[in-house]
Amino acid sequence: MRKHYFPRGIFDEREKDILSLLSSENVRGIIMYIIANPGATQKELCSELGLSPPTVNYYIGNLKELNLVRSIKDGKFVKYYFTGDVELFVKLIQNYHPSLFERWADRIVDIFMNLEEGV
């Protein structure tokens, strides 16, 4: 229910949608946790980020609409995976939310090392 303003011609629509979502600290935390822990469950997200299950479900639904997260049912658990462009996401975080980038810097380095190794 918020309105976001962007300079004309700098961002494409997808980047605007992502930046709008990233205005929420909860969404930023969910995405960073899923990137660092592929296959994270709702219980893990709730526990690690201090969020309620309905809150996680709400944000995951928004992320799924933008095709940034996919879910896979594994027995009685649903596991979440980041399907967006990790490099774009990290660039947006670094430029527009540097405090979060600094908190996650070590994990981000590990993520990129794993991407380069093809893991």
Side-chain angles (χ1 to χ4, degrees):
M1 302 302 280
R2 294 182 179 176
K3 199 173 258 193
H4 299 274
Y5 297 94
F6 301 96
R8 180 176 276 175
I10 293 181
F11 302 106
D12 64 27
E13 288 304 313
R14 180 156 177 79
E15 289 172 330
K16 288 179 187 178
D17 290 339
I18 292 169
L19 281 169
S20 295
L21 272 179
L22 293 180
S23 66
S24 166
E25 185 174 344
N26 291 337
V27 171
R28 294 190 306 262
I30 288 170
I31 293 174
M32 291 301 297
Y33 189 80
I34 292 173
I35 289 172
N37 302 283
T41 64
Q42 179 193 55
K43 184 177 181 179
E44 292 169 337
L45 288 167
C46 292
S47 174
E48 288 295 319
L49 302 172
L51 302 172
S52 69
T55 300
V56 169
N57 284 341
Y58 172 76
Y59 290 125
I60 289 290
N62 290 338
L63 293 168
K64 283 180 166 183
E65 283 181 24
L66 290 174
N67 295 318
L68 292 174
V69 169
R70 69 180 164 99
S71 60
I72 296 177
K73 185 135 173 85
D74 184 13
K76 65 179 185 173
F77 297 101
V78 176
K79 295 185 176 186
Y80 300 107
Y81 298 88
F82 186 73
T83 57
D85 181 344
V86 174
E87 290 184 35
L88 171 63
F89 176 77
V90 170
K91 181 180 92 175
L92 293 173
I93 288 288
Q94 185 177 15
N95 290 332
Y96 299 101
H97 300 282
S99 63
L100 180 73
F101 183 80
E102 289 171 12
R103 285 195 314 239
W104 284 80
D106 292 336
R107 291 184 184 180
I108 291 170
V109 169
D110 291 339
I111 291 165
F112 278 113
M113 295 299 288
N114 288 336
L115 286 175
E116 288 179 6
E117 294 172 3
V119 174

